[in-house]
Amino acid sequence: SGIDQLCSFETFAAEQGQAVDSGDVEVEEIRLDDHDARRFGTSAGTPALVIRRTKLYGGIKVGWIVDYVPDGVLPFPILAAEFAGSVLDVLLAHHELGVDHSDCELRPVALTVSQARKLDVRAGTPALLIDELTRTSSGRVINWSQAWLLPEHFRFLLRRR
C-alpha cells in the first residue's frame, strides 16, 4: 500500500477488501513529561490520553500502536467513546480540528522485551517503527503515534516524483 496517504491501518485494509482488529486495548490519562510535552509545544504536566493496542490481521498480532492526544484537542471521554481501533480515524472525523498532514519517520528497530511481549515474539525481533506527528492546517501537533510493525506482514510503496 502507498504510505503517502494520511489514513489509518483500518482504512488501508478496507481499501484492499481486508479487515484489521485491535486487541489488548489500554486507555490511560497521563501527564506529559518535559520530553513528550515538547512534541506538542506544551508544558510538562499537560494531561494527555494514551491509547495502546495490538493490531491483528486474521487473528495474528502484526503490530503494536501507541497514540498520545494532548488536552484541548478533543474531550477525552469523546475520544475514548468514538475510538474503534484508530485514533486517526476519530481525529479525521472531527472536521473542526482541521487535520491536514503528518510528519513520519520510518526506521528499523529491534523490539524491546516489553514490546516483544505485546506481539508474542522474542526480544530483539526486527520491526519497522513509524513515529508520526499529526498536525492541523495551522501546524499544531494534535497526535503523536508510534507503531511497531512486524515486517513480514507489511509492505509499503512510495511513488517518487
Side-chain angles (χ1 to χ4, degrees):
S1 297
I3 196 167
D4 56 334
Q5 181 182 0
L6 183 59
C7 65
S8 67
F9 289 111
E10 285 76 7
T11 300
F12 274 132
E15 287 175 354
Q16 296 176 22
Q18 304 296 320
V20 293
D21 296 308
S22 295
D24 308 314
V25 177
E26 303 169 12
V27 179
E28 176 185 18
E29 188 174 330
I30 65 162
R31 300 277 175 178
L32 296 171
D33 63 24
D34 284 329
H35 184 260
D36 293 342
R38 280 193 297 269
R39 293 180 198 281
F40 295 103
T42 190
S43 57
T46 298
L49 193 67
V50 181
I51 300 178
R52 302 174 190 92
R53 70 269 189 205
T54 54
K55 284 303 186 189
L56 302 132
Y57 179 73
I60 298 169
K61 293 179 180 181
V62 299
W64 171 247
I65 300 177
V66 180
D67 280 282
Y68 298 78
V69 177
D71 189 38
V73 174
L74 283 176
F76 294 160
I78 290 175
L79 180 58
E82 293 180 10
F83 176 79
S86 169
V87 170
L88 180 59
D89 284 344
V90 174
L91 298 175
L92 288 169
H94 284 268
H95 301 286
E96 72 277 10
L97 295 175
V99 175
D100 185 70
H101 67 280
S102 70
D103 296 314
C104 290
E105 177 184 359
L106 285 81
R107 67 180 183 270
V109 296
L111 294 174
T112 65
V113 171
S114 64
Q115 293 162 344
R117 193 173 297 126
K118 300 284 186 188
L119 294 170
D120 296 333
V121 296
R122 293 189 333 204
T125 296
L128 176 64
L129 171 61
I130 301 177
D131 197 346
E132 177 172 28
L133 297 175
T134 302
R135 299 177 185 272
T136 65
S137 54
S138 68
R140 177 182 174 209
V141 176
I142 59 170
N143 177 232
W144 170 36
S145 180
Q146 293 182 298
W148 292 266
L149 309 175
L150 296 176
E152 61 269 24
H153 301 287
F154 291 90
R155 180 174 174 220
F156 297 110
L157 303 173
L158 295 172
R159 174 169 290 159
R160 296 175 48 172
R161 296 175 195 233

